[in-house]
Amino acid sequence: MPDPAVPPTPPVPLTALLAREDLGLRQLAGPPAEGVVVHWVHTSEMADPYPYLLGGELLLSAGVHIPEAAGPGTSYFDDYVSRIVAAGGAALGFGVAPVHDTVPEALVAACASHGLPLLEVPPRTTFSGVARAVWQLMARARLAELRRVTEAQQSLATAASRPDPVPSVLRQLAQRLGGWAVLYGPEGTEIAGAGREPGDEARAALTRLGEVVRPVRQTPQAGSAVSAGTAGTRSGAPGAGTRSGAPGAGVRPDHPTPPPNTASTTSPARRTDPTGTRPAEPGDALRPDHPTPPPNPASRAGSATGATRPAEPDAARAASPPGTASRASAAGTRQAGSGAGRAGARADVAPDRPALVPPADPGRPAPSSATDSVAGLHLAAYSLGAGHGFVLGVAAPQRTAGDHTVASVAAVLLSLLTGEQQSGTGAARSSALVRMLLGVPPEEVASLLGDGPWVVVRARPDGDGAPDPVAASALGAALGSALVDPAGDVVRVLVPYDRAPADPLPGWTLGISSAVEPEDWPAADTQAARALARARATRAPLLRHGARPAFADLVPPGEAAAHARALLAPVTAHPALTDTLRTWLSLHGSWDRTAVALSVHRNTVRQRIARCAALLATDLDDPDVRMELWFALRHI
């Protein structure tokens, strides 16, 4: 059975139609309805409906076309059903009355023989009612799919704003697709992954699939591997060079760009009979309730993954002899039910080829996405950015129309997180670096990097782990600068003064220097380092360099308060002693001024201070002791 064209609207399970009590449909023959889906409804009373079907239809007929001589001893019903199956029809609905009182037994037998679901449409149910039910179910499915995609987009955007944006996006994508998501670096190595990891065969196939969409960096050496041509190739796997959809059945590159919503809506020319016109069908006058075409005609070029497939010649379709169960195509035999990667030119290769490579033609860009099926998993690879070499790989047990949209959104977010953050900054940074290495002072190359003055931001991620290059790039994007240096467990970012962060960034501790000119960049880096140290000591998410950094700022407030309570515990039980000690220390040990400030006699001050020295078991004449006590008194 050929692969029906899939419209951008989710199909309707046949079980959903049978469950509608208002329709009263009853299945008489064919395979179980659980595995059958309907893409649209069509009514025809033609003896040969093949030229008028696109595939995936629930074909409705009242049997007007059945001649009186047709019966169990003739081949009419067998030929009729075989043509529907060859055209890709999903099911046949036979209307009882006014032409036939019952469904012909020969039709039931033919549908059972060819595996075509046969439904009995009762007299009270009009064909337009069946069509309306299909569109209603289709609209509900479409709404549910749009809601799912919208929720996935929102969750991916939220994940991209987290402190670990790349792992968060991959985790969210894997959760939404129920599979595995992985980010490959420019050299093809796995940078990060999330979800249920596939087996070795699928994992290796996904890695090779990533090479198909990775931009060509150099021309492959002669004899190293076979060129993938315009679509890429699969090799070294069972079933290579076939179109049957078996594991390793060949790579299918998709459309050249990965927009967030790539469902095809292109409508091909309608199939006609060999004369080029569609004659009126006899049943049109008999049953005026035929459904009108669906609001969105099925795309003959679209697929669930956004791939395109050229329409087959009408003449070849109309000229197919009765009983033909499949149609030939230039790409090979199409397998029913496959909704991913049905398009694109392909180059079949021998199984002994070692690996697949990107297109060898340096003038031809590599496809931005490609799909494959291996070991029961649907694989997809997406090229990220404009030639940076990062690739997103996805392996999922199933593939729906919305999955491609969700993966495309993730690809766009990851492109922003892994690519250059500002247009032209790559060339400017390279030029500035070369000039500085050749001895040009920083102030002479600052104009290549943007307007000053500048601040240096030192950032350290919360937790114990060191920031990876992707997280550092994401931090630079959040700060609006591509001048990022991951240096060990700290990230340094050179930021124009007007872009200096005013608020903390979740997941990071920031130390910010004062605004300086390019000649003072080294001093600003030292300032940012000190500010970061104070921020981490005080558990503050952001601190700026101050003209007079305080020594007390290096101790977190909670720890300072605990130390103060423990140190001053002997005297805090006596408020008079605590107040006297605080006042005496603030007045540099002056007895007279302390007595005046407390309105007591100076001998009382002496007695209280002596009592404090005894309770604390310390020498209050020692300046170090006084400093420590003053520090503690500020935190109680």
Side-chain angles (χ1 to χ4, degrees):
M1 177 176 172
D3 186 14
V6 179
T9 302
V12 174
L14 188 58
T15 53
L17 278 178
L18 294 174
R20 291 281 295 258
E21 296 182 358
D22 58 322
L23 299 179
L25 304 179
R26 184 167 64 99
Q27 184 173 357
L28 302 180
E34 286 75 10
V36 181
V37 294
V38 174
H39 295 287
W40 45 70
V41 178
H42 179 62
T43 301
S44 176
E45 297 297 343
M46 301 295 292
D48 182 12
Y50 184 97
Y52 310 102
L53 301 181
L54 294 175
E57 297 94 344
L58 168 60
L59 180 63
L60 301 176
S61 173
V64 179
H65 58 87
I66 301 176
E68 295 182 0
T74 65
S75 63
Y76 179 84
F77 290 105
D78 188 77
D79 292 342
Y80 175 71
V81 173
S82 67
R83 293 292 281 171
I84 297 174
V85 173
L92 173 64
F94 192 88
V96 177
V99 181
H100 298 271
D101 295 332
T102 61
V103 180
E105 293 293 337
L107 180 60
V108 176
C111 288
S113 175
H114 288 277
L116 179 68
L118 175 62
L119 309 182
E120 179 188 70
V121 183
R124 64 181 175 85
T125 302
T126 62
F127 284 1
S128 61
V130 176
R132 180 174 59 186
V134 170
W135 308 140
Q136 288 174 347
L137 293 172
M138 202 170 284
R140 293 174 188 172
R142 180 62 171 167
L143 181 60
E145 185 72 4
L146 290 176
R147 184 181 294 111
R148 183 180 77 91
V149 171
T150 301
E151 292 175 353
Q153 291 174 338
Q154 293 174 347
S155 63
L156 288 171
T158 301
S161 65
R162 292 177 57 85
D164 52 344
V166 171
S168 296
V169 169
L170 293 176
R171 284 195 299 268
Q172 191 60 231
L173 178 61
Q175 178 181 349
R176 292 289 174 176
L177 301 185
W180 187 53
V182 59
L183 177 65
Y184 296 105
E187 304 303 326
T189 57
E190 295 182 8
I191 295 180
R196 294 177 294 181
E197 296 188 12
D200 293 340
E201 180 184 3
R203 193 164 186 163
L206 186 58
T207 302
R208 293 193 298 269
L209 193 64
E211 296 300 324
V212 175
V213 300
R214 181 170 287 109
V216 180
R217 293 183 177 271
Q218 61 183 6
T219 303
Q221 299 296 326
S224 62
V226 63
S227 171
T230 60
T233 58
R234 272 272 289 140
S235 61
T242 67
R243 178 77 166 163
S244 63
V251 174
R252 296 181 288 274
D254 296 333
H255 47 275
T257 58
N261 191 347
T262 55
S264 172
T265 57
T266 305
S267 299
R270 185 172 179 82
R271 299 194 182 280
T272 63
D273 65 348
T275 65
T277 61
R278 179 178 179 180
E281 300 178 2
D284 292 344
L286 177 63
R287 298 183 68 98
D289 50 49
H290 301 308
T292 57
N296 190 359
S299 169
R300 195 58 181 165
S303 75
T305 61
T308 58
R309 179 180 62 190
E312 300 168 20
D314 294 341
R317 182 80 188 267
S320 300
T324 303
S326 62
R327 291 168 287 174
S329 68
T333 304
R334 291 174 294 178
Q335 181 182 358
S338 173
R342 301 191 201 112
R346 302 182 41 190
D348 292 336
V349 297
D352 56 350
R353 293 293 186 180
L356 51 85
V357 295
D361 183 2
R364 181 188 298 274
S368 58
S369 62
T371 59
D372 197 3
S373 297
V374 173
L377 294 176
H378 297 272
L379 311 181
Y382 301 84
S383 178
L384 306 183
H388 299 298
F390 289 92
V391 172
L392 169 64
V394 176
Q398 60 184 1
R399 181 85 166 174
T400 64
D403 290 344
H404 179 72
T405 303
V406 173
S408 296
V409 172
V412 172
L413 292 173
L414 291 173
S415 296
L416 297 175
L417 294 172
T418 57
E420 291 288 347
Q421 306 302 325
Q422 297 179 3
S423 176
T425 56
R429 290 168 61 190
S430 298
S431 177
L433 175 61
V434 170
R435 295 187 187 187
M436 292 180 68
L437 290 175
L438 295 179
V440 177
E443 56 270 21
E444 295 187 18
V445 301
S447 60
L448 296 173
L449 304 177
D451 298 330
W454 301 80
V455 298
V456 175
V457 178
R458 279 195 173 232
R460 184 164 180 170
D462 296 343
D464 299 330
D468 57 74
V470 175
S473 178
L475 174 65
L479 296 176
S481 174
L483 305 174
V484 182
D485 174 32
D489 57 353
V490 174
V491 179
R492 299 188 299 177
V493 187
L494 190 60
V495 182
Y497 176 71
D498 57 354
R499 298 179 187 170
D503 300 316
L505 294 178
W508 293 91
T509 300
L510 305 180
I512 306 174
S513 73
S514 59
V516 299
E517 295 301 326
E519 59 269 19
D520 294 324
W521 282 345
D525 184 41
T526 302
Q527 294 175 0
R530 292 173 179 171
L532 177 60
R534 293 199 305 274
R536 297 188 68 241
T538 59
R539 291 181 172 85
L542 182 149
L543 275 183
R544 299 178 181 276
H545 171 74
R548 295 182 58 187
F551 179 81
D553 292 339
L554 296 177
V555 181
E559 296 182 11
H563 172 73
R565 288 192 299 269
L567 179 64
L568 299 175
V571 299
T572 52
H574 310 280
L577 295 182
T578 304
D579 292 341
T580 301
L581 180 61
R582 177 183 289 108
T583 305
W584 182 72
L585 290 174
S586 68
L587 296 175
H588 309 289
S590 172
W591 309 107
D592 293 335
R593 286 189 294 169
T594 302
V596 172
L598 297 176
S599 299
V600 297
H601 195 276
R602 66 175 184 174
N603 289 336
T604 302
V605 174
R606 290 181 179 274
Q607 293 173 358
R608 290 179 180 178
I609 294 301
R611 179 64 176 162
C612 288
L615 292 175
L616 295 174
T618 188
D619 182 10
L620 295 182
D621 291 331
D622 189 336
D624 290 335
V625 173
R626 292 190 180 191
M627 180 184 67
E628 185 179 13
L629 291 176
W630 177 248
F631 173 83
L633 287 168
R634 294 178 59 188
H635 292 85
I636 61 170

